[in-house]
């Protein structure tokens, strides 16, 4: 069984960087896959990698992480200013971050607006093949490979 | 913000003492992308000696290694570098992966432990760099979060970045995929092992350093 835990932005917005990292790692160490609204800051991402490396041991072999974030392709100056204004007002809630324990997730593929999770959990008892869980534009599909 | 200001002051200072200063050039990337092979190629070209041991087994480099006074000459210009070869940064390390290479379990466990420490050390060194070459394996998917994180961190620290799409001698290699993944950065395709396109690499390196 796979457990996906949603972490809304409101759960992390008041935490400092160390608090955010601790919260996310605690969930992942419970063998759950985190679906976090928004993304970590670049320095928080390296902080998460650092803390992960420090935690690696017999039971915990690390994490798989992936973020998808809407790219600003054709935004004009007004559009960009508006976005920055919203960010200051309500925080950077755009995008989604998926973090899972490496013991459950073999690989995450980002392509660039689609996330595919390759897990080590078989789809059916009779099928030893890998299971793919892919999500695109807010939908979650499950398909057999 | 403080970081950007610090880097700005650092650069002004560097420009004042440009002739005396050695440029700290870091080699970053995921494990087994060819960081040490590229560092070795540069050291061999300009010093006649290697910086470290490259291997097919991931996490061969588990300590940050420095090579001082590497003077690179290109089109009449000359720059002095301190090359900093770093261990591969990863989000997971499992000793069982090393067992595939017929390594005894105790050795594999030790290697895994050292690799985790090496990754932390590499991250801590990020702030010391004047310029970074991010070495990616062009045969692999460039959209890995480790790549995105390393490059995002360098951008946040305002450190110039040159992306190398390595292993172009292999059939599966695709420079375009790397370029598409990081369109805002300069990408050079090369084979560190065979030395293919190394002149283009030096050209890009000098161009990026000039822009600092």
């Amino acid at each position: 069984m796979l457990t996906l835990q949603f972490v809304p932005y409101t759960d992390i917005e008041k935490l400092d960087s160390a608090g955010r990292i601790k919260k996310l790692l605690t969930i992942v160490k419970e063998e759950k896959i985190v679906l976090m609204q928004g993304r970590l800051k670049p320095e928080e991402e390296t902080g998460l990698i650092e803390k992960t490396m420090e935690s690696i041991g017999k039971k915990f072999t690390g994490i798989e992480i992936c973020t998808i974030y809407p790219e600003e392709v054709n935004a004009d100056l007004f559009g960009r200013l508006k976005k920055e204004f919203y960010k200051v007002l309500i925080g950077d809630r755009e995008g989604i971050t998926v973090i899972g324990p490496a013991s459950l997730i073999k690989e995450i593929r980002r392509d660039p607006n689609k996330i595919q999770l390759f897990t080590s959990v078989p789809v059916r008892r009779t099928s030893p093949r890998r299971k793919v869980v892919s999500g695109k534009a807010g939908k979650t599909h499950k398909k057999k490979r | 913000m403080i970081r950007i200001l610090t880097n700005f002051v650092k650069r002004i200072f560097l420009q004042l003492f440009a002739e005396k200063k050695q440029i700290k050039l870091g080699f970053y990337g995921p494990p087994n992308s060819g960081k040490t092979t590229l560092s070795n190629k540069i050291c061999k070209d300009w010093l006649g000696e290697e910086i470290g041991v490259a291997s097919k087994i991931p996490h061969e480099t588990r300590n940050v290694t420095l090579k001082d006074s590497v003077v690179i000459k290109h089109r009449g210009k000359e720059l002095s570098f301190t090359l900093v070869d770093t261990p591969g940064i990863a989000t997971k390390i499992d000793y069982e992966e090393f067992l595939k290479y017929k390594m005894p379990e105790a050795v594999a466990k030790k290697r895994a432990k050292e690799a985790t420490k090496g990754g932390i050390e590499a991250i801590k060194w990020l702030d010391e760099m004047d310029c970074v070459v991010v070495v990616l394996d062009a045969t692999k998917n460039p959209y890995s979060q480790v790549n995105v994180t390393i490059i995002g961190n360098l951008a946040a620290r305002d450190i110039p970045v040159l992306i190398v799409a390595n292993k172009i001698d292999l059939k599966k290699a695709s420079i375009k995929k790397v370029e598409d993944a990081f369109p805002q950065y300069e990408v050079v395709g090369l084979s560190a092992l065979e030395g293919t396109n190394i002149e283009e690499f030096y050209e890009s390196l000098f161009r990026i350093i000039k822009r600092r």
Side-chain angles (χ1 to χ4, degrees), chain A residues 42 45 50 53 63-64 106, chain B residues 90-92 124 145 149 153:
Chain A
E45 280 181 8
E50 253 188 279
M53 289 293 112
I63 59 166
E64 276 290 348
K106 293 283 167 206
Chain B
T91 57
K92 59 178 179 185
K124 291 199 193 307
Q145 193 64 29
T149 302
N153 261 272

Side-chain angles (χ1 to χ4, degrees), chain A residues 103-117:
Chain A
S103 55
L104 277 181
I105 299 177
K106 293 283 167 206
E107 190 188 349
I108 303 182
R109 282 188 202 162
R110 175 185 170 220
D111 190 16
N113 295 317
K114 184 172 75 178
I115 286 179
Q116 288 183 308
L117 302 184

Side-chain angles (χ1 to χ4, degrees), chain B residues 124-198:
Chain B
K124 291 199 193 307
W125 268 82
L126 269 172
D127 269 330
E128 303 291 321
M129 301 301 161
D130 298 316
C131 182
V132 166
V133 176
V134 177
V135 185
L136 304 181
D137 182 340
T139 66
K140 293 192 175 158
N141 178 15
Y143 287 108
S144 100
Q145 193 64 29
V146 166
N147 299 345
V148 175
T149 302
I150 297 169
I151 293 166
N153 261 272
L154 294 166
R157 287 170 161 88
D158 203 22
I159 298 169
V161 178
L162 173 62
I163 299 176
V164 163
N166 191 23
K167 307 192 185 181
I168 59 162
D169 52 305
L170 300 177
K171 256 188 179 179
K172 270 176 74 186
S174 168
I175 303 170
K176 195 179 177 303
K177 273 190 186 170
V178 179
E179 284 172 339
D180 290 347
F182 304 103
Q184 60 276 56
Y185 294 93
E186 185 156 347
V187 177
V188 183
L190 60 80
S191 165
L193 193 66
E194 294 184 356
T196 321
N197 265 1
I198 201 76

Side-chain angles (χ1 to χ4, degrees), chain A residues 8-78:
Chain A
Y9 185 78
T10 47
D11 271 16
I12 55 159
E13 76 176 315
K14 283 178 185 158
L15 296 175
D16 60 5
S17 295
R20 287 178 183 191
I21 293 165
K22 193 179 170 190
K23 185 180 175 74
L24 297 172
L25 263 185
T26 305
I27 301 170
V28 174
K29 281 180 183 173
E30 289 167 359
E31 301 272 283
K32 292 175 189 166
I33 297 167
V34 173
L35 294 176
M36 190 187 88
Q37 182 187 12
R39 62 185 298 189
L40 295 170
K41 292 176 197 155
E43 60 270 26
E44 288 172 344
E45 280 181 8
T46 40
L48 179 67
I49 295 175
E50 253 188 279
K51 289 287 166 202
T52 302
M53 289 293 112
E54 285 171 11
S55 310
I56 285 177
K58 278 180 191 168
K59 287 181 183 170
F60 182 66
T61 55
I63 59 166
E64 276 290 348
I65 175 171
C66 186
T67 301
I68 44 174
Y69 195 74
E71 295 290 335
E72 286 289 310
V73 184
N74 294 319
D76 56 11
L77 183 66
F78 180 71

